[in-house]
Amino acid sequence: MVQELLVAVVAALCFGALYLAAGARVVKQYEQGVLFRLGRVTGDVRTPGFNLVIPFVDRLYKVNLQIVTLPVPAQEGITRDNVTVRVDAVVYFRVVDSVSALVKVEDYKFAVSQMAQTSLRSIIGKSDLDDLLSNREQLNQGLELMIDSPAVGWGVQVDRVEIKDVSLPDTMKRSMARQAEADRERRARIINADAELQASKKLAEAAQQMAATPSALQLRLLQTIVAVAAEKNSTLVLPFPVELLRFLERAGPQPPGPNGGAPAGIAESTLRTGPPPG
């Protein structure tokens, strides 16, 4: 009798251990448990830690509450200014309502992915190429709003959306490179012309100062000679003032008279100073 009682107790203990093992569930810190009893959601969500369920009656689903990084495949579209581009993005989202994420949508990750792709195509069609290249922050906000609006009903919150890369056709890249080169050349010419204008004004002021003091021109000439001689060149270029040429021209011999004789001034002087007649 005692032996049969001991066997019954051991059997009960074994059954209880098996029952506990079958009903024991551990929910991790970054998870929440949603309990379905006979197909219906029962009670509140299960918190992290050790939880017991009724075997073969209850089913506990664990939902990850961590932020999910979801890459959006590259989408090809035509911008508002008729340029074909390929744009890819990344979506950061997390589950805020475990029950809605399990009940209201079959696969919330797949649903967010599809919504992100369609929203990205819509953003491409509504934007210009310059906006995609330089105004990404505003496009990211608009894309986040488009994805987050339906995701709220799924118990999902979109934290951030980032456009990763914008791929352009090779012809468009070459056109943009030529445009940038032309713009840089235009700015270089404007800067060069401005420099020439400022230099001409300074040279005009320097010419006025040197015209007032001729000795300054001679000093400048000597400085130029010293600068050229310091280069150890075999050829020395010496500027010659035009005023000196004019002075030498005035001091040179007078041209001959009309008949090939002495100059007119000398002939007239000879006639006046000749010996008296008879």
Side-chain angles (χ1 to χ4, degrees), residues 106-169:
E106 181 180 2
D107 187 350
Y108 63 90
K109 291 184 180 180
F110 181 75
V112 172
S113 176
Q114 295 301 311
M115 180 58 65
Q117 294 181 34
T118 55
S119 300
L120 184 57
R121 284 180 175 270
S122 178
I123 285 292
I124 293 174
K126 295 179 181 178
S127 305
D128 295 331
L129 179 61
D130 294 337
D131 294 334
L132 290 175
L133 296 176
S134 60
N135 196 15
R136 292 190 181 182
E137 188 64 29
Q138 184 176 358
L139 294 179
N140 292 337
Q141 295 177 0
L143 191 58
E144 178 182 349
L145 182 60
M146 294 178 65
I147 300 174
D148 189 59
S149 296
V152 171
W154 306 334
V156 176
Q157 178 181 348
V158 178
D159 290 339
R160 189 169 182 83
V161 181
E162 291 285 348
I163 295 177
K164 292 170 55 179
D165 187 25
V166 179
S167 300
L168 301 175

Side-chain angles (χ1 to χ4, degrees), residues 1-15:
M1 185 65 182
V2 177
Q3 186 176 1
E4 294 178 358
L5 183 60
L6 290 176
V7 172
V9 171
V10 172
L13 292 176
C14 292
F15 179 79

Side-chain angles (χ1 to χ4, degrees), residues 2-164:
V2 177
Q3 186 176 1
E4 294 178 358
L5 183 60
L6 290 176
V7 172
V9 171
V10 172
L13 292 176
C14 292
F15 179 79
L18 291 176
Y19 185 85
L20 291 176
R25 298 291 186 272
V26 176
V27 179
K28 298 180 181 179
Q29 182 66 38
Y30 54 85
E31 295 176 338
Q32 278 186 352
V34 180
L35 184 64
F36 285 82
R37 179 166 295 168
L38 298 177
R40 299 181 60 182
V41 178
T42 303
D44 298 332
V45 294
R46 297 302 178 93
T47 57
F50 183 80
N51 292 271
L52 283 176
V53 299
I54 302 174
F56 311 110
V57 176
D58 295 342
R59 179 167 294 183
L60 185 67
Y61 290 91
K62 302 175 185 179
V63 180
N64 194 333
L65 301 181
Q66 291 177 314
I67 295 177
V68 180
T69 302
L70 180 65
V72 182
Q75 302 297 312
E76 185 173 354
I78 300 177
T79 61
R80 190 167 55 182
D81 50 354
N82 298 324
V83 179
T84 303
V85 295
R86 288 177 60 88
V87 182
D88 57 352
V90 58
V91 181
Y92 301 92
F93 69 93
R94 59 190 177 92
V95 176
V96 294
D97 189 351
S98 304
V99 177
S100 298
L102 289 177
V103 175
K104 295 185 178 180
V105 63
E106 181 180 2
D107 187 350
Y108 63 90
K109 291 184 180 180
F110 181 75
V112 172
S113 176
Q114 295 301 311
M115 180 58 65
Q117 294 181 34
T118 55
S119 300
L120 184 57
R121 284 180 175 270
S122 178
I123 285 292
I124 293 174
K126 295 179 181 178
S127 305
D128 295 331
L129 179 61
D130 294 337
D131 294 334
L132 290 175
L133 296 176
S134 60
N135 196 15
R136 292 190 181 182
E137 188 64 29
Q138 184 176 358
L139 294 179
N140 292 337
Q141 295 177 0
L143 191 58
E144 178 182 349
L145 182 60
M146 294 178 65
I147 300 174
D148 189 59
S149 296
V152 171
W154 306 334
V156 176
Q157 178 181 348
V158 178
D159 290 339
R160 189 169 182 83
V161 181
E162 291 285 348
I163 295 177
K164 292 170 55 179

